[in-house]
Amino acid sequence: MELEFFTKNTSIAYFSMEIGIRPEMHTYSGGLGILAGDTLKSAADLRIPMIGITLIHRMGYFKQELDPFGRQIEHPDPWDIGEFLKKIDKKIPITLEGKTVYVTAWLYVIESTTGGKIPIIFLDTDIPENDPESRTLTHFLYGGDLTYRLKQEAILGIGGVRMLEELGFEIRKYHMNEGHSSLLTLELLNKFKKPIEEVWSDELVWDVEKVKNLCVFTTHTPVEAGHDRFPYDLVQKILGEPVPMWLLKKLAGDGMLNMTLLGFNLSEYINGVSKKHEEVSERMFPGYEIHAITNGVHPYTWVSEPFKNLYNKYLPGWANEPEIFVRAWRIPSEEIWDAHMQAKRSLIDYVNRITGANFNYDTFTIGFARRATPYKRADLLMSDPERLAIIGEGRVQIIYAGKSHPKDEGGKKLIQRIFEIKERLKDRLKIVYLPNYDMAMAMKLVSGVDIWLNNPLKPYEASGTSGMKATHNGVPNFSVLDGWWIEGWIEGYTGWAIGTMEETSDPKRDAEDLYFKLANEILPLFYEKREIWIKIMKNAITMNAYYFNTHRMVRFYVTEAYIR
Ligand SMILES: *Cc1c(COP(=O)(O)O)cnc(C)c1O
């Protein structure tokens, strides 16, 4: 597929530091990247004139090895670029730390069964024109120090806009998926500068309104400390003054360059990724009008083979019209259960092959997989190991997975703590921690477990998406009321809540609720009232999957944010 095919008809550019499209391409770390990939896949299905821009991340995020004590060992995670991408014969210069760095690009095309196609541009500095240090700038996703990160963000934001222009695109909306790409606004300010003869002061050269009209910003971070910030002396050292310092400080904050503020101040449309997240963000950034577009997942990517067959039989057209899931109640219960057991057997075989843990097909299986970081509280289920063993002995098996960022010591300790308790309970409860969580493993987990557990500290979960993947496979959620689950939860119908609607968590109460509902509601239903259990599985599809998909989400972006 040649790029010229796209240049004339593409008007929306979607910028993201990570884009996860397929497990063999190591260009993502977690939720943010997979959301970006799912967004572009739905855009292809819906024939939206979009293009994705990201970095190539030749060495990936990292490959996770876990030693017998649960200590994380990180390895570079290169991937076969030539197998998936096509080199584009163009390069653009960017000045970083006073040096010219050349940025080239690779092309990937998402091709939908509907005939829709979406190009993705992967920026790359690893070319002979650059010095050895500059060549490494597009190697590691979220690697290196602050300088490395700022340079990467400059390549993405500034380099991305330049590359699109070099390739002949005429972009009408720039969508920043999180603050990593906010520097693109500075490039646009320069691009649309008014000639000094036409205005009566130097300040009016900068056409902030024009740039605002072009930009859309999605924030994903409900905690103050999570927003990308760079000291201005570093910014000046690396970037010089892309716009005058007084203007930059006005747009990005006085003390440090805050990438979220910069994006906010230059975007006409700003949104959070769930209704709750909108509320939290508005409080964190008073004075900004923040909207909500709740996340989703790409149906065709996240439905397992057995459920694909089932949906094809009973709900033809589901993949491109997920609203059809509303009729999943028509699927006979036995066939829902058969499809689930097929997915479950394939997961259990996989777990046993990797770990030798001898999991059973018929035992209630809890899945918990996400980034290992303290606020996600992977160990809440372990807070009273004795009680867990009493409830679960012979009746529960648990599968964990998740990487911890190399610099997240708290996250690494959490994995070790789970290993400790797993060891302590080993004669009474089967628990495994699978190494190197990725998209392929996520597919197996979200479709093969009986329940998807999620218990982060509130209100830190902007949305969460793995639970949505579970619902596409008829797997109910058991989760705290934060992010998307506030919108998807109907107690006892689509799944269960842990804790109350209050905005902050009460850890004691959460643990109590977790154990109580598991022992007294969830396990009895699963083992003794299978008919009702399967109805809950159907509800997960009809009431959750029909809404929490990227088709619905992309349509919202089009009507709320892109066409204005
Ligand atoms: C879906 C997914 C995530 C995001 O899950 P959350 O529930 O948002 O934490 C992270 N990693 C992988 C590999 C995934 O597939």
Side-chain angles (χ1 to χ4, degrees), residues 377 379-381 383-384 387 455-457 480 498-500 504-517:
R377 296 195 298 183
D379 59 345
L380 189 73
L381 183 60
S383 49
D384 185 348
R387 188 162 172 198
N455 48 39
L457 262 187
V480 300
I498 299 165
T500 63
T504 49
S505 296
D506 173 348
K508 268 217 173 67
R509 161 92 208 239
D510 286 352
E512 177 58 34
D513 230 30
L514 176 55
Y515 290 129
F516 183 86
K517 286 189 186 173

mmCIF file of all heavy atoms in Angstrom, residues 377 379-381 383-384 387 455-457 480 498-500 504-517:
data_model
loop_
_atom_site.group_PDB
_atom_site.id
_atom_site.type_symbol
_atom_site.label_atom_id
_atom_site.label_comp_id
_atom_site.label_asym_id
_atom_site.label_seq_id
_atom_site.Cartn_x
_atom_site.Cartn_y
_atom_site.Cartn_z
ATOM 1 N N ARG A 377 -2.915 -2.114 43.425
ATOM 2 C CA ARG A 377 -3.145 -3.007 44.577
ATOM 3 C C ARG A 377 -3.338 -4.482 44.202
ATOM 4 O O ARG A 377 -4.316 -5.116 44.620
ATOM 5 C CB ARG A 377 -4.366 -2.516 45.378
ATOM 6 C CG ARG A 377 -4.172 -1.155 46.008
ATOM 7 C CD ARG A 377 -5.218 -0.875 47.058
ATOM 8 N NE ARG A 377 -6.581 -0.848 46.513
ATOM 9 C CZ ARG A 377 -7.673 -0.560 47.221
ATOM 10 N NH1 ARG A 377 -7.560 -0.284 48.512
ATOM 11 N NH2 ARG A 377 -8.858 -0.554 46.658
ATOM 12 N N ASP A 379 -2.146 -6.830 45.471
ATOM 13 C CA ASP A 379 -2.120 -7.678 46.665
ATOM 14 C C ASP A 379 -3.346 -7.501 47.565
ATOM 15 O O ASP A 379 -3.391 -8.071 48.651
ATOM 16 C CB ASP A 379 -0.840 -7.424 47.461
ATOM 17 C CG ASP A 379 -0.718 -5.967 47.896
ATOM 18 O OD1 ASP A 379 -1.458 -5.107 47.352
ATOM 19 O OD2 ASP A 379 0.116 -5.678 48.769
ATOM 20 N N LEU A 380 -4.362 -6.762 47.115
ATOM 21 C CA LEU A 380 -5.541 -6.600 47.989
ATOM 22 C C LEU A 380 -6.179 -7.959 48.292
ATOM 23 O O LEU A 380 -6.568 -8.237 49.431
ATOM 24 C CB LEU A 380 -6.581 -5.677 47.342
ATOM 25 C CG LEU A 380 -7.737 -5.298 48.280
ATOM 26 C CD1 LEU A 380 -7.302 -4.309 49.350
ATOM 27 C CD2 LEU A 380 -8.930 -4.712 47.509
ATOM 28 N N LEU A 381 -6.235 -8.801 47.287
ATOM 29 C CA LEU A 381 -6.798 -10.147 47.458
ATOM 30 C C LEU A 381 -5.974 -10.972 48.452
ATOM 31 O O LEU A 381 -6.458 -11.943 49.021
ATOM 32 C CB LEU A 381 -6.824 -10.829 46.080
ATOM 33 C CG LEU A 381 -7.422 -12.216 45.912
ATOM 34 C CD1 LEU A 381 -8.884 -12.245 46.321
ATOM 35 C CD2 LEU A 381 -7.270 -12.691 44.470
ATOM 36 N N SER A 383 -4.545 -9.614 51.160
ATOM 37 C CA SER A 383 -4.337 -8.854 52.391
ATOM 38 C C SER A 383 -4.594 -9.720 53.634
ATOM 39 O O SER A 383 -4.044 -9.456 54.682
ATOM 40 C CB SER A 383 -5.183 -7.572 52.397
ATOM 41 O OG SER A 383 -6.512 -7.866 52.054
ATOM 42 N N ASP A 384 -5.416 -10.749 53.514
ATOM 43 C CA ASP A 384 -5.578 -11.711 54.611
ATOM 44 C C ASP A 384 -5.436 -13.120 54.021
ATOM 45 O O ASP A 384 -6.431 -13.772 53.695
ATOM 46 C CB ASP A 384 -6.971 -11.510 55.249
ATOM 47 C CG ASP A 384 -7.181 -12.388 56.464
ATOM 48 O OD1 ASP A 384 -6.361 -13.324 56.690
ATOM 49 O OD2 ASP A 384 -8.161 -12.160 57.200
ATOM 50 N N ARG A 387 -7.620 -16.019 55.320
ATOM 51 C CA ARG A 387 -9.019 -15.946 54.907
ATOM 52 C C ARG A 387 -9.187 -16.337 53.433
ATOM 53 O O ARG A 387 -10.124 -17.049 53.067
ATOM 54 C CB ARG A 387 -9.537 -14.519 55.141
ATOM 55 C CG ARG A 387 -11.017 -14.395 54.913
ATOM 56 C CD ARG A 387 -11.561 -13.154 55.562
ATOM 57 N NE ARG A 387 -12.955 -12.930 55.203
ATOM 58 C CZ ARG A 387 -13.578 -11.781 55.339
ATOM 59 N NH1 ARG A 387 -12.932 -10.737 55.848
ATOM 60 N NH2 ARG A 387 -14.845 -11.655 55.005
ATOM 61 N N ASN A 455 -8.976 -3.862 41.369
ATOM 62 C CA ASN A 455 -9.229 -3.135 42.618
ATOM 63 C C ASN A 455 -8.233 -2.022 42.899
ATOM 64 O O ASN A 455 -7.649 -1.956 43.971
ATOM 65 C CB ASN A 455 -9.284 -4.121 43.789
ATOM 66 C CG ASN A 455 -8.118 -5.092 43.764
ATOM 67 O OD1 ASN A 455 -6.994 -4.724 43.444
ATOM 68 N ND2 ASN A 455 -8.357 -6.323 44.105
ATOM 69 N N PRO A 456 -8.070 -1.093 41.955
ATOM 70 C CA PRO A 456 -7.143 0.021 42.186
ATOM 71 C C PRO A 456 -7.642 0.951 43.289
ATOM 72 O O PRO A 456 -8.823 0.955 43.619
ATOM 73 C CB PRO A 456 -7.160 0.755 40.848
ATOM 74 C CG PRO A 456 -8.493 0.459 40.262
ATOM 75 C CD PRO A 456 -8.796 -0.945 40.683
ATOM 76 N N LEU A 457 -6.726 1.729 43.828
ATOM 77 C CA LEU A 457 -7.082 2.821 44.744
ATOM 78 C C LEU A 457 -7.821 3.874 43.931
ATOM 79 O O LEU A 457 -7.400 4.241 42.832
ATOM 80 C CB LEU A 457 -5.808 3.473 45.281
ATOM 81 C CG LEU A 457 -5.244 3.107 46.637
ATOM 82 C CD1 LEU A 457 -4.087 4.063 46.944
ATOM 83 C CD2 LEU A 457 -6.273 3.163 47.745
ATOM 84 N N VAL A 480 -13.631 -2.299 41.753
ATOM 85 C CA VAL A 480 -13.976 -1.097 42.514
ATOM 86 C C VAL A 480 -14.700 -0.115 41.594
ATOM 87 O O VAL A 480 -14.556 -0.159 40.371
ATOM 88 C CB VAL A 480 -12.725 -0.393 43.106
ATOM 89 C CG1 VAL A 480 -11.977 -1.315 44.050
ATOM 90 C CG2 VAL A 480 -11.816 0.110 42.017
ATOM 91 N N ILE A 498 -16.657 -3.666 44.299
ATOM 92 C CA ILE A 498 -15.882 -3.794 45.527
ATOM 93 C C ILE A 498 -15.891 -2.417 46.175
ATOM 94 O O ILE A 498 -15.430 -1.449 45.561
ATOM 95 C CB ILE A 498 -14.430 -4.221 45.232
ATOM 96 C CG1 ILE A 498 -14.411 -5.588 44.543
ATOM 97 C CG2 ILE A 498 -13.587 -4.221 46.503
ATOM 98 C CD1 ILE A 498 -13.081 -5.931 43.888
ATOM 99 N N GLY A 499 -16.438 -2.306 47.385
ATOM 100 C CA GLY A 499 -16.478 -0.999 48.062
ATOM 101 C C GLY A 499 -17.652 -0.162 47.573
ATOM 102 O O GLY A 499 -18.519 -0.633 46.843
ATOM 103 N N THR A 500 -17.641 1.107 47.974
ATOM 104 C CA THR A 500 -18.790 1.975 47.736
ATOM 105 C C THR A 500 -18.534 2.933 46.572
ATOM 106 O O THR A 500 -17.488 2.910 45.957
ATOM 107 C CB THR A 500 -19.051 2.847 48.974
ATOM 108 O OG1 THR A 500 -17.897 3.688 49.152
ATOM 109 C CG2 THR A 500 -19.247 2.002 50.217
ATOM 110 N N THR A 504 -12.997 8.155 47.324
ATOM 111 C CA THR A 504 -11.695 7.626 47.726
ATOM 112 C C THR A 504 -11.884 6.236 48.325
ATOM 113 O O THR A 504 -12.981 5.871 48.741
ATOM 114 C CB THR A 504 -11.009 8.545 48.747
ATOM 115 O OG1 THR A 504 -11.959 8.843 49.770
ATOM 116 C CG2 THR A 504 -10.557 9.835 48.090
ATOM 117 N N SER A 505 -10.789 5.495 48.370
ATOM 118 C CA SER A 505 -10.879 4.108 48.814
ATOM 119 C C SER A 505 -10.734 3.983 50.314
ATOM 120 O O SER A 505 -10.032 4.764 50.952
ATOM 121 C CB SER A 505 -9.775 3.287 48.162
ATOM 122 O OG SER A 505 -9.945 3.251 46.783
ATOM 123 N N ASP A 506 -11.416 2.980 50.868
ATOM 124 C CA ASP A 506 -11.220 2.581 52.244
ATOM 125 C C ASP A 506 -10.671 1.150 52.169
ATOM 126 O O ASP A 506 -11.428 0.200 51.986
ATOM 127 C CB ASP A 506 -12.586 2.636 52.957
ATOM 128 C CG ASP A 506 -12.530 2.064 54.362
ATOM 129 O OD1 ASP A 506 -11.522 1.423 54.709
ATOM 130 O OD2 ASP A 506 -13.509 2.260 55.099
ATOM 131 N N PRO A 507 -9.340 1.012 52.289
ATOM 132 C CA PRO A 507 -8.711 -0.286 52.008
ATOM 133 C C PRO A 507 -9.278 -1.444 52.841
ATOM 134 O O PRO A 507 -9.469 -2.537 52.317
ATOM 135 C CB PRO A 507 -7.238 -0.043 52.346
ATOM 136 C CG PRO A 507 -7.048 1.421 52.190
ATOM 137 C CD PRO A 507 -8.346 2.053 52.587
ATOM 138 N N LYS A 508 -9.585 -1.180 54.113
ATOM 139 C CA LYS A 508 -10.139 -2.239 54.962
ATOM 140 C C LYS A 508 -11.482 -2.713 54.433
ATOM 141 O O LYS A 508 -11.749 -3.896 54.298
ATOM 142 C CB LYS A 508 -10.340 -1.694 56.394
ATOM 143 C CG LYS A 508 -9.164 -1.917 57.295
ATOM 144 C CD LYS A 508 -9.653 -2.250 58.728
ATOM 145 C CE LYS A 508 -8.491 -2.636 59.617
ATOM 146 N NZ LYS A 508 -7.592 -1.478 59.847
ATOM 147 N N ARG A 509 -12.306 -1.732 54.159
ATOM 148 C CA ARG A 509 -13.643 -2.000 53.664
ATOM 149 C C ARG A 509 -13.593 -2.720 52.299
ATOM 150 O O ARG A 509 -14.354 -3.643 52.038
ATOM 151 C CB ARG A 509 -14.373 -0.649 53.556
ATOM 152 C CG ARG A 509 -15.580 -0.600 52.692
ATOM 153 C CD ARG A 509 -16.823 -0.875 53.485
ATOM 154 N NE ARG A 509 -17.841 -1.462 52.618
ATOM 155 C CZ ARG A 509 -19.034 -0.936 52.402
ATOM 156 N NH1 ARG A 509 -19.365 0.168 53.020
ATOM 157 N NH2 ARG A 509 -19.879 -1.515 51.594
ATOM 158 N N ASP A 510 -12.663 -2.297 51.461
ATOM 159 C CA ASP A 510 -12.512 -2.934 50.148
ATOM 160 C C ASP A 510 -12.157 -4.415 50.292
ATOM 161 O O ASP A 510 -12.734 -5.270 49.631
ATOM 162 C CB ASP A 510 -11.417 -2.230 49.322
ATOM 163 C CG ASP A 510 -11.875 -0.875 48.785
ATOM 164 O OD1 ASP A 510 -13.081 -0.559 48.935
ATOM 165 O OD2 ASP A 510 -11.031 -0.143 48.246
ATOM 166 N N ALA A 511 -11.194 -4.695 51.175
ATOM 167 C CA ALA A 511 -10.771 -6.090 51.364
ATOM 168 C C ALA A 511 -11.935 -6.912 51.910
ATOM 169 O O ALA A 511 -12.199 -8.031 51.456
ATOM 170 C CB ALA A 511 -9.572 -6.154 52.304
ATOM 171 N N GLU A 512 -12.651 -6.328 52.873
ATOM 172 C CA GLU A 512 -13.796 -7.022 53.472
ATOM 173 C C GLU A 512 -14.849 -7.354 52.401
ATOM 174 O O GLU A 512 -15.330 -8.490 52.306
ATOM 175 C CB GLU A 512 -14.395 -6.103 54.558
ATOM 176 C CG GLU A 512 -15.643 -6.621 55.237
ATOM 177 C CD GLU A 512 -15.442 -7.984 55.905
ATOM 178 O OE1 GLU A 512 -14.320 -8.217 56.407
ATOM 179 O OE2 GLU A 512 -16.380 -8.799 55.888
ATOM 180 N N ASP A 513 -15.174 -6.376 51.583
ATOM 181 C CA ASP A 513 -16.150 -6.552 50.522
ATOM 182 C C ASP A 513 -15.708 -7.627 49.525
ATOM 183 O O ASP A 513 -16.501 -8.446 49.076
ATOM 184 C CB ASP A 513 -16.260 -5.217 49.767
ATOM 185 C CG ASP A 513 -17.686 -4.771 49.613
ATOM 186 O OD1 ASP A 513 -18.497 -5.102 50.505
ATOM 187 O OD2 ASP A 513 -17.985 -4.101 48.616
ATOM 188 N N LEU A 514 -14.429 -7.571 49.199
ATOM 189 C CA LEU A 514 -13.851 -8.519 48.246
ATOM 190 C C LEU A 514 -14.044 -9.947 48.752
ATOM 191 O O LEU A 514 -14.569 -10.814 48.045
ATOM 192 C CB LEU A 514 -12.371 -8.167 48.075
ATOM 193 C CG LEU A 514 -11.468 -9.026 47.201
ATOM 194 C CD1 LEU A 514 -12.032 -9.174 45.801
ATOM 195 C CD2 LEU A 514 -10.093 -8.375 47.099
ATOM 196 N N TYR A 515 -13.642 -10.183 49.994
ATOM 197 C CA TYR A 515 -13.757 -11.538 50.549
ATOM 198 C C TYR A 515 -15.222 -11.936 50.725
ATOM 199 O O TYR A 515 -15.618 -13.053 50.427
ATOM 200 C CB TYR A 515 -13.040 -11.641 51.896
ATOM 201 C CG TYR A 515 -11.538 -11.560 51.786
ATOM 202 C CD1 TYR A 515 -10.797 -10.673 52.574
ATOM 203 C CD2 TYR A 515 -10.838 -12.384 50.902
ATOM 204 C CE1 TYR A 515 -9.422 -10.599 52.473
ATOM 205 C CE2 TYR A 515 -9.457 -12.314 50.802
ATOM 206 C CZ TYR A 515 -8.752 -11.422 51.593
ATOM 207 O OH TYR A 515 -7.390 -11.366 51.490
ATOM 208 N N PHE A 516 -16.027 -10.996 51.228
ATOM 209 C CA PHE A 516 -17.410 -11.328 51.531
ATOM 210 C C PHE A 516 -18.184 -11.704 50.262
ATOM 211 O O PHE A 516 -18.849 -12.737 50.201
ATOM 212 C CB PHE A 516 -18.105 -10.163 52.249
ATOM 213 C CG PHE A 516 -19.516 -10.507 52.645
ATOM 214 C CD1 PHE A 516 -19.772 -11.160 53.858
ATOM 215 C CD2 PHE A 516 -20.584 -10.222 51.793
ATOM 216 C CE1 PHE A 516 -21.070 -11.512 54.201
ATOM 217 C CE2 PHE A 516 -21.880 -10.579 52.142
ATOM 218 C CZ PHE A 516 -22.125 -11.227 53.345
ATOM 219 N N LYS A 517 -18.065 -10.875 49.243
ATOM 220 C CA LYS A 517 -18.837 -11.164 48.021
ATOM 221 C C LYS A 517 -18.313 -12.409 47.309
ATOM 222 O O LYS A 517 -19.084 -13.180 46.745
ATOM 223 C CB LYS A 517 -18.814 -9.964 47.079
ATOM 224 C CG LYS A 517 -19.697 -8.838 47.573
ATOM 225 C CD LYS A 517 -19.848 -7.731 46.550
ATOM 226 C CE LYS A 517 -20.615 -6.577 47.168
ATOM 227 N NZ LYS A 517 -20.655 -5.401 46.272
#
